[in-house]
Amino acid sequence: MLSGLAAIVVAGLLLAGCASSPPPEDADTSANVYLNQKPVSFNPLKPPQAGEQLTMSLIFDNLFTTDPDFKYTPRLAKSWDVSDDAKTFTFHLREGLTWSDGKPFSADDVLFTYNLQANPKVGGAWGGRLSDVEGYAAVKDGSASTLSGLTAPDKNTVVFQLSRSNAGFLSLIGYGSVMYILPKHVLGEKDPATLLQDPWFTHPTTGMGPYTVEKFNVDQDIELKANSHFRTNVGIDHLYLKMLTSDVATAQLGTGEIDLAQVSALDLDAVKALPGVEVSSKPSAGFNRVAVNSSKPQFADERVRQGMLYAIDRKGIIDGVLGGEAKPLNSDIMTPWALPKDLEKYSYDPKKAKQLLTDAGFDFTQEVKLSWVPGQRDRDQIANVIIENLKAAGVNAVANQVEVGALLDSYKNASYDLALFGGGVYTPDPASSDPIIACGQRYPAGGNTALFCNSELDEAMAAGRTVVAEDERAALYQKAATLDNELVPYLWLNVPNAIWATSDRLKGFEPHGDFTNGFWNAADWTVSG
């Protein structure tokens, strides 16, 4: 295995020679970090993509995030209060904060950001998460420009007033890498309808994160400089985010050119054998899945989706492709207390798969395209396994490798058949799964890229949100999970471990299971030597 790795190292060195930017002469400290996807822009209003989210986590910030145990931890808000009926959420902001350009940060920036998210003229990805805030319906139909339930009693306090109880509201508005706060003094005069494409987001000059963008060398790297106005000292002066394939990133770990990388399970043994490299893994709070375009008649019958799920050797993918660094799941709900013990496991059964497809009247002659963004070796291999498994069940499955933009367009115009992707943060609260399955969250209004809609499931999920006591919520959500398990909105593949590798010169890195929040404590990193 090491001899194979040596060959990769040579390729990595060749690529590094044309893709790297030398550190500036005046830099005191710097570190090189692998970025697994090539960003196009850094716009928190847009649908999430891993490479962009990771970068945005360094240049923007949110009210709070999740720590490696998926517990809420303060960021721009120092604390918050929740009323007994879970209808009033009050955030107390840190005092005396400034943006990276030195301008003061205040509650006005928070109100500006969340009103943008809710504004249908923006067409952003997260607005549906605010649907319970008073005034949302008026904003959505254009009769109001701001949420009446979002107020700032003073410059350091923000209040969300909901129209109904929602015990899972926190899981919708601030976890991980969503709802980054934007600068009103920079963007406030711009037309909201143009913000998704505004060129400012290709090189944002102002943020609240620990770093600012110095250079964005498209398809190569991103140079970040420590934000001198950040609320704490930032331990490394410059970060260089390197856009490499996973095998080259692995090789450069071995040569000392990369200090931090998210590692493919396929490279795990090789990385563990590298001297001076530490490997750690954490269970994800999201999952790998295949979205089935439920808006197309050929996929509308749940028996078709059930059949496809039986057709996929999910255990084989976990054991073979992912080396056991994952676990199975059978629902879009991931919170342990919200899951019943008797969910259908959809064990690999090609014969049953074909029978279900036949019973549903599925046309086996039609071509079914599996779309995904290539470049991650484990995901590429998973795609190949899925295609072969579907073929074995009689489905005329074909590969369709696409760029990120093309995949998002196919969601928007509902043209795709199947789409392989992963991510999300669904463990903290079952309400966080609602945006990927609710009728009102169908893309681009929300994260429901399967374009799935079932009113009975909507009602079951809503029932769980409106109850505060966890034992009562558990009973309601277990009913919702049972229905979700039967309807199969997505083809659930696995809950992967996030595997991280660090050089021995990088100190302070704390591994996180959320792939897109892996840089959550970047301000605390330092380098030695």
Side-chain angles (χ1 to χ4, degrees), residues 183 214 255 423:
E214 284 284 285
T255 60

Side-chain angles (χ1 to χ4, degrees), residues 60-72:
F60 296 118
D61 212 343
N62 39 21
L63 293 178
F64 60 96
T65 188
T66 54
D67 65 18
D69 295 321
F70 299 110
K71 303 295 184 182
Y72 300 129

